[in-house]
DNA sequence: CTCCCTCGAGTTCT
DNA sequence: CTCGAGGGAG
């Protein structure tokens, strides 16, 4: 080794670098090697040795970097100077639409663009929509200095070391006049043939094969050890320029692509990215790519149209974070045929029984599908899905597999005895689907209320499935947030009766957990020893232990097990002071979700106030009506639930009171409001007001004898109904109880809590859609609510603002259609800032 | 009583 | 994300 670097060595190294990069480019980008592999290897090793002898030579852009380097502890985050936008997908669901329908939508798109540009005919650049991962490559003076993933669009992960191993990414631009700064956007993907090869390797090594090239590419790019990435044969295609300094930026998209190719970047072949005219050209391109899809060396999930002229692109500009001049046109969801092996029922947290079709595994839309929900009995019967049927399955636009239809021709028919020629009768082997009458888990009755689509197991917490899920719900992140209490652990805890209700979680000891672990081990060993087809009774989906491969369910015994147990106990202990709203949500009261939990906490302030609240009082709160109020009151009146809550409190769980009851509660608790919610026949809103005008004290009315009640100045049928109601046993007590409750709760000094409200936001309704560059959805929601705004989930006429981020979908479209103001994150921040 | 808007609940796979 | 149903306005 030497510290001095002779000029001759430096020159030779530079020469080798240029040669190797040229061969690389010829091999990987142009797909036309000019030298034998052995020659390449010889030069490569020579450069490696020079670099080993003279460390001063080593730099990030040497071809020797392509074999990867030492693993990183983690990826650092880099902020994109120019945000990485995603494309809108303005084409509606066209799964079933034919050529003409697609055509019609293209015409509409083209017309919109032409209209906005006031142009007769628009030139579009086209390209396939790669199914890979978007990355941004930054070059300074022609040298690759940084590569980052898309992340949330505003910032991503620094994957420079990994990208350097991608052979077709130029490390140093060879062209004559390279720009001082160049930021290139493109897609990292795995070619189909490289994917096959990788999976062969995975299989022969006993590793799990990847589901699809996209996953393989993602998994490879996100390796902290770039030497692994180097072995994985990733490819890269450039498709956009984000930034140019020190050179002319081509005036059209196809010009950009040609320039990138000249600079040495791999871009898709010119015949796959023609410039076309108008809707007809787009339609023709779409059809031709769709037809040749299977023959392409890489996976695509659609095509992209871009207004070719950059001048026109600028005129069209952006809608929030998505360009208006580029659009993705996705291919219809892939469909596949498979057979129904069984139809089973799942039991949800609320006891809802959902029929699920168990399918022969079928690869569709990039994953293997084995289950598809049939939603409910009516749906299953409408589609007439039966065991043994051949069905068409697809992964609709998003993710969730769906049974599209049954292929009736293939339905198995019962053979007709003694008739060889016509051996099949027209009678199907399996009857139409019917929901069972007993819960598959606990055997309780299944009840389907009149007019309801959903059938429910009547077992309540007797039903193990419901118990397991109630506990899971309780521990989930948006509720008590008990880390490490995953599905499998909960199932085991319930199965072994360590936990019967959520309160038992707080009584768990280290010994309990370790003992449970031992029993599990014993059971496992027994199972493996027998090795018989032991079919443990399926509890929830997948069966209780079906998913727990040996050693997977819980950590191995010894130190690891006790560490796991300690962590879990710590997480449980840490969950003891949840905000009241989340605690209420966690209890799993029917009809009480995140929002209603917040309403209750907001208006009543303390757990005790919520627990004791009579039905009529609950029903005066916003968005709480008779059904929800009853559900809440019933929940707290149920002795079992009372015990659980008391046990939780005794164990030290202490929901943080929001505050005293809201000052505005006074207005809500007016006698007229309460009278109207007693469910007294004929006592309408108006009559309740008249009644309150004569008797505004509930306690007094409760004590009024019948003879005096009918003297009230109200229509005879109303006073009679009221008198009858009061005569029903217990109703006078109900009235008295409401009166007492109101008196008590109003005594608790309602602070005049008027938080500093933001005029621009208070009382306004917001809808969030897409991914915001820096704020998470939760954060944005919290900020808006803190300023007095409301955040809701769907766009309507009443929505004041839609805050759109990247990948905004139908909500953004709807906002535009309804003329609702669309904000991006910056605009939202301004609104939030300007009080 | 009839819309229309929201909220809750359920769902698949990596 | 989608569906069903509750709440509330008209």
């Amino acid at each position: 080794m030497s510290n001095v670097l002779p000029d001759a060595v430096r020159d030779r190294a530079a020469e080798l670098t240029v040669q190797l990069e040229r061969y690389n480019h010829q091999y990987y980008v142009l797909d036309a090697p000019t030298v034998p592999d052995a020659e390449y290897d010889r030069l490569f090793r020579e450069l490696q040795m020079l670099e080993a002898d003279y460390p001063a030579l080593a730099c990030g852009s040497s071809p020797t970097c392509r074999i990867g380097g030492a693993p990183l502890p983690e990826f650092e985050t880099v902020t994109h100077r120019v945000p990485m936008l995603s494309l809108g997908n303005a084409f509606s669901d066209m799964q079933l639409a034919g050529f003409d329908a697609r055509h019609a939508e293209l015409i509409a798109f083209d017309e919109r663009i032409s209209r906005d540009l006031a142009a007769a005919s628009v030139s579009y650049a086209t390209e396939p929509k790669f199914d890979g991962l978007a990355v941004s490559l930054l070059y300074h003076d022609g040298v690759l200095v940084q590569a980052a993933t898309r992340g949330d669009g505003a910032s991503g992960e620094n994957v420079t070391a990994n990208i350097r191993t991608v052979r077709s990414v130029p490390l140093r631009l060879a062209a004559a006049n390279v720009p001082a700064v160049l930021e290139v956007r493109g897609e990292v993907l795995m070619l189909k043939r490289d994917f096959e090869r990788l999976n062969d390797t995975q299989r022969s090594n006993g590793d799990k094969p990847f589901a699809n090239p996209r996953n393989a590419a993602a998994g490879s790019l996100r390796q902290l050890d770039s030497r692994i990435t180097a072995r994985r044969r990733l490819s890269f295609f450039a498709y956009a320029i984000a930034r140019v300094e020190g050179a002319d930026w081509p005036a059209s998209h196809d010009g950009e692509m040609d320039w990138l190719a000249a600079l040495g970047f791999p871009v898709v072949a010119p015949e796959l990215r023609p410039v076309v005219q108008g809707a007809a050209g787009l339609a023709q391109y779409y059809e031709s790519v769709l037809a040749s899809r299977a023959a392409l060396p890489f996976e695509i999930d659609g095509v992209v149209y871009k207004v070719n002229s950059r001048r026109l692109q600028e005129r069209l500009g952006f809608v929030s974070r998505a360009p208006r001049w580029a659009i993705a046109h996705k291919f219809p969801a892939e469909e596949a045929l498979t057979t129904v092996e069984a139809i089973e029922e799942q039991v949800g947290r609320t006891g809802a029984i959902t029929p699920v079709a168990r399918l022969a595994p079928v690869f569709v839309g990039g994953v293997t599908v084995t289950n598809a929900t049939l939603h409910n009995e009516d749906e299953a019967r409408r589609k007439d899905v039966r065991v043994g049927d051949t069905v068409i399955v697809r992964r609709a636009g998003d993710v969730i597999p769906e049974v599209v239809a049954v292929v009736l021709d293939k339905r198995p028919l019962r053979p007709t005895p003694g008739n060889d020629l016509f051996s099949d009768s027209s009678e199907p082997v399996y009857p139409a689907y019917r929901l069972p009458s007993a819960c598959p888990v606990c055997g309780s009755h299944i009840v389907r209320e009149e007019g309801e689509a959903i059938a429910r197991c009547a077992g309540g917490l007797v039903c193990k499935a419901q118990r397991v899920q109630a506990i899971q719900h309780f521990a989930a992140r948006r509720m008590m947030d008990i880390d490490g209490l995953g599905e499998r652990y909960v199932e085991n805890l319930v199965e072994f009766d360590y936990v019967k209700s959520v309160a038992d979680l707080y009584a768990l000891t280290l010994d309990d957990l370790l003992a449970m672990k031992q029993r599990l081990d014993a059971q496992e060993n027994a199972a493996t020893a027998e090795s018989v087809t032991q079919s443990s009774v399926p509890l929830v989906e997948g069966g209780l232990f079906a998913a727990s491969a040996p050693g997977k369910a819980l950590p191995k015994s010894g130190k690891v097990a006790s560490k796991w147990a300690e962590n879990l106990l710590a997480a449980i202990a840490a969950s003891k002071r949840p905000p009241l709203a989340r605690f209420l949500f966690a209890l799993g009261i029917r009809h009480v979700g995140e929002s209603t939990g917040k309403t209750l906490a907001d208006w009543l302030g303390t757990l005790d106030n919520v627990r004791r609240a009579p039905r009529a009082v609950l029903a005066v709160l916003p968005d709480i009506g008779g059904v929800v109020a009853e559900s809440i009151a019933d929940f707290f009146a149920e002795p079992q639930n009372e015990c659980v809550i008391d046990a939780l409190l005794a164990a030290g769980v202490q929901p943080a009171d929001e505050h005293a009851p809201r000052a505005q509660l006074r207005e809500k608790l007016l006698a007229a409001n309460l009278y109207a919610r007693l469910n007294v026949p004929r006592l309408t809103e108006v009559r309740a007001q008249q009644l309150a005008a004569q008797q505004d004290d509930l306690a007094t009315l409760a004590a009024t004898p019948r003879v005096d009640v009918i003297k009230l100045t109200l229509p005879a049928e109303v006073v009679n109904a009221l008198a009858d109601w009061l005569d029903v046993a217990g109703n006078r007590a109900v009235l008295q109880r409401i009166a007492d409750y109101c008196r008590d709760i109003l005594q608790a000094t309602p602070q005049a809590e008027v938080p500093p409200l933001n005029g621009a936001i208070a009382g306004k309704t917001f809808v969030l859609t897409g991914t915001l560059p820096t704020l998470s959805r939760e954060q944005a929601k919290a900020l808006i609510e803190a300023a007095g705004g409301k955040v809701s989930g769907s766009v309507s006429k009443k929505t004041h603002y839609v805050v759109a981020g990247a990948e905004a979908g139908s909500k953004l479209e709807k906002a535009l259609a309804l003329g609702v103001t669309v904000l991006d994150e910056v605009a939202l921040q301004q609104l939030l800032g300007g009080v």
Side-chain angles (χ1 to χ4, degrees):
Chain A
M1 279 236 242
S2 164
N3 291 326
V4 247
L5 179 58
D7 284 350
V9 172
R10 185 197 303 275
D11 292 347
R12 179 59 184 156
E15 195 182 335
L16 286 168
T17 301
V18 169
Q19 257 181 322
L20 285 166
E21 280 301 281
R22 189 168 59 232
Y23 295 151
N24 226 348
H25 182 250
Q26 285 163 350
Y27 188 100
Y28 289 103
V29 179
L30 305 178
D31 206 14
T34 54
V35 293
D37 288 357
E39 170 69 3
Y40 181 92
D41 290 344
R42 197 182 57 75
L43 298 176
F44 190 90
R45 274 195 304 274
E46 186 185 342
L47 180 58
Q48 258 186 322
M49 277 155 67
L50 284 182
E51 285 176 355
D53 288 345
Y54 300 94
L57 281 174
C59 74
S61 63
S62 163
T64 56
C65 295
R66 295 199 185 272
I67 57 172
L72 304 167
E74 61 180 334
F75 294 117
E76 61 182 282
T77 304
V78 294
T79 306
H80 298 300
R81 276 272 298 271
V82 181
M84 290 185 81
L85 306 168
S86 57
L87 295 183
N89 181 8
F91 298 94
S92 63
D93 182 27
M94 291 178 299
Q95 322 282 3
L96 302 172
F99 181 88
D100 289 342
R102 292 198 283 267
H103 221 78
E105 299 229 28
L106 281 176
I107 291 169
F109 166 70
D110 179 48
E111 272 173 358
R112 201 191 81 211
I113 298 284
S114 309
R115 179 166 35 83
D116 289 356
L117 292 173
S121 170
V122 179
S123 288
Y124 297 98
T126 60
E127 64 200 22
K129 185 171 187 302
F130 302 102
D131 196 10
L133 298 104
V135 292
S136 187
L137 308 182
L138 181 62
Y139 290 82
H140 282 171
D141 297 319
V143 175
L144 175 69
V145 293
Q146 189 181 74
T149 61
R150 206 180 87 86
D152 59 11
S155 59
E157 288 174 327
N158 185 339
V159 288
T160 314
N162 291 347
I163 288 295
R164 284 202 178 109
T165 73
V166 178
R167 301 301 206 273
S168 55
V169 170
L171 300 179
R172 187 186 288 273
L173 303 181
N177 35 11
V178 296
V181 176
L182 176 67
E183 194 167 343
V184 174
R185 300 280 157 82
E187 199 97 342
V188 168
L189 49 83
M190 191 174 282
L191 299 183
K192 289 175 187 170
R193 61 161 193 265
D194 292 330
F195 168 73
E196 300 298 340
R197 215 170 53 189
L198 170 61
N199 265 359
D200 287 345
T201 318
Q202 292 285 108
R203 271 186 289 263
S204 56
N205 290 347
D207 291 331
K208 218 176 132 211
F210 290 95
N212 53 54
R214 209 202 102 86
N215 284 359
S220 305
L221 189 63
R222 300 205 66 259
Q223 288 289 336
L224 289 168
D225 185 345
S226 53
R227 287 168 301 197
I228 298 178
T229 314
R231 275 184 247 128
R232 294 281 181 83
R233 297 285 165 194
L234 293 172
S235 298
F236 173 80
F237 288 94
Y239 56 62
I241 296 175
R243 195 148 60 104
V244 178
E245 285 169 28
D248 287 336
W249 192 325
S252 66
H253 184 72
D254 69 318
E256 290 180 329
M257 301 301 284
D258 292 341
W259 187 46
L260 287 174
L263 285 171
F265 288 96
V267 296
V268 79
E271 55 273 23
L272 258 178
R273 49 177 177 93
V275 175
V276 302
Q277 290 294 315
L282 295 176
Q284 200 192 346
Y285 175 72
Y286 177 91
E287 295 297 330
S288 79
V289 176
L290 184 57
S292 62
R293 181 182 190 180
L296 292 175
F298 40 75
E299 302 248 339
I300 61 174
D301 57 358
V303 291
V304 177
Y305 312 134
K306 295 174 177 170
V307 172
N308 195 31
S309 155
R310 287 196 49 240
R311 195 173 45 83
L312 297 183
Q313 289 178 3
E314 277 162 25
R315 268 178 46 196
L316 285 164
F318 297 82
V319 180
S320 80
R321 315 295 288 184
R324 291 183 57 210
W325 43 267
I327 198 153
H329 192 172
K330 290 208 178 182
F331 291 143
E334 191 194 335
E335 296 186 339
L337 285 181
T338 186
T339 53
V340 178
E341 298 187 325
I343 300 178
E344 287 169 11
E345 291 78 28
Q346 260 176 75
V347 184
R349 172 169 63 84
T350 60
I353 306 282
T354 313
V356 178
R358 307 280 178 216
L359 306 169
V362 60
F363 193 76
V364 51
V367 293
T368 307
V369 169
T370 53
N371 301 317
T373 176
L374 297 172
H375 300 294
N376 55 55
E377 186 178 15
D378 291 347
E379 180 79 2
R381 293 175 72 114
R382 196 174 56 73
K383 288 187 173 160
D384 193 19
V385 180
R386 306 186 186 194
V387 178
D389 274 350
T390 298
V391 290
I392 301 169
V393 178
R394 75 163 168 228
R395 290 219 312 159
D398 34 21
V399 228
I400 298 179
E402 147 184 57
V403 172
V404 183
V406 173
V407 184
L408 282 177
D409 291 348
K410 297 200 177 183
R411 173 166 289 170
L413 298 175
R414 200 181 292 282
T416 310
N419 186 339
D420 289 359
L421 277 178
F422 305 98
S423 59
D424 286 350
S425 67
S426 58
E427 192 191 343
V429 176
Y430 294 96
Y433 178 75
R434 273 201 67 186
L435 211 62
S437 57
C439 171
V441 174
C442 68
S444 303
H445 281 99
I446 289 180
V447 186
R448 184 167 162 192
E449 297 286 338
E450 192 76 28
E452 294 221 333
I454 297 160
R456 299 196 134 84
C457 160
L461 289 184
V462 173
C463 182
K464 208 178 263 181
Q466 291 182 60
R467 229 156 56 217
V468 168
Q469 286 173 85
I471 291 162
Q472 257 171 240
H473 174 82
F474 183 84
R477 190 135 62 80
R478 277 151 73 219
M479 277 129 296
M480 303 296 279
D481 193 14
I482 302 178
D483 213 24
L485 197 58
E487 180 180 335
R488 224 168 286 145
Y489 301 142
V490 176
E491 280 175 17
N492 291 330
L493 287 168
V494 171
E495 175 62 13
F496 290 114
D497 270 346
Y498 287 105
V499 174
K500 292 195 196 64
S501 77
V502 291
D504 297 336
L505 288 173
Y506 295 88
L508 284 173
T509 65
L510 198 59
D511 287 343
D512 288 340
L513 293 176
L514 293 178
M516 179 178 90
K517 173 76 186 88
Q518 288 206 331
R519 286 171 66 175
L520 262 177
D521 280 348
Q523 197 167 48
E524 240 163 50
N525 292 339
T528 5
E530 279 177 39
S531 168
V532 190
T533 34
Q534 33 90 307
S535 60
S536 50
V537 184
L539 173 57
V540 200
E541 188 213 346
L544 186 51
F545 297 107
S548 53
K552 273 273 169 70
L554 288 173
K556 278 280 170 222
S557 29
K559 276 235 167 68
V560 190
S562 77
K563 181 90 183 122
W564 161 77
E566 279 167 28
N567 286 344
L568 180 53
L569 291 176
I572 292 173
S575 71
K576 286 186 179 175
R577 245 185 156 280
L580 178 59
R582 293 215 298 186
F583 180 79
L584 292 169
F585 185 12
L587 291 176
I589 306 165
R590 272 252 247 149
H591 297 125
V592 177
E594 195 171 22
S595 165
T596 311
K598 197 178 277 170
T599 304
L600 292 171
D602 245 25
W603 282 86
L604 300 176
T606 69
L607 174 61
D608 194 53
N609 287 346
V610 178
R611 278 183 88 169
R612 288 170 34 238
R615 200 184 50 76
V617 171
L618 293 168
V620 301
L621 302 180
D623 298 322
I624 297 178
V627 175
V628 177
E630 178 139 19
S631 162
I632 298 166
D634 284 354
F635 180 91
F636 288 111
E638 167 66 40
Q640 251 194 318
N641 294 331
E642 288 194 293
C643 285
V644 170
I645 293 167
D646 287 335
L648 282 170
L649 295 176
V653 178
Q654 211 183 6
D657 297 344
E658 307 280 316
H659 42 64
R662 268 206 186 190
Q664 294 96 311
L665 189 57
R666 283 183 185 280
E667 301 155 33
K668 296 277 181 188
L669 291 184
L670 294 176
N673 284 335
L674 295 168
Y675 286 148
R677 283 161 227 268
L678 291 174
N679 285 353
V680 177
R682 297 175 193 275
L683 193 64
T684 60
E685 201 102 16
V686 183
R687 301 297 179 209
Q689 267 175 35
Q690 295 169 353
L691 172 59
Q694 297 166 63
Q695 181 50 268
D696 67 354
D697 184 48
L698 279 68
T700 309
L701 181 63
T704 309
R706 184 178 178 103
V707 280
D708 293 327
V709 171
I710 50 179
K711 284 186 198 151
L712 288 165
T713 39
L714 283 168
E717 79 244 28
V718 178
V719 283
N720 281 328
L722 178 60
D724 289 347
W725 185 83
L726 284 169
D727 284 345
V728 172
N731 279 347
R732 282 176 191 275
V734 166
L735 213 50
Q736 181 64 50
R737 209 164 66 77
I738 298 171
D740 292 344
Y741 178 85
C742 290
R743 192 194 53 227
D744 290 353
I745 200 169
L746 290 176
Q747 257 174 15
T749 47
Q751 11 165 302
E753 28 88 38
V754 184
L757 290 185
N758 180 330
I761 289 185
K764 298 283 195 326
T765 307
F766 288 71
V767 173
L768 303 173
T769 178
T771 316
L772 297 178
T774 66
L775 290 173
S776 77
R777 193 167 273 260
E778 305 288 311
Q779 289 170 326
K781 192 174 171 196
L783 286 173
I784 292 168
E785 284 174 352
K790 255 181 68 178
V791 175
S792 96
S794 56
V795 180
S796 72
K797 275 183 296 187
K798 293 188 179 172
T799 310
H800 296 98
Y801 298 105
V802 167
V803 184
E807 311 231 17
S810 59
K811 284 188 248 184
L812 177 55
E813 273 178 68
K814 193 162 178 195
L816 294 171
L818 293 171
V820 176
T821 313
V822 176
L823 305 175
D824 60 10
E825 185 181 314
V826 179
L828 172 66
Q829 297 279 22
Q830 282 168 356
L831 218 55
L832 287 164
V835 176

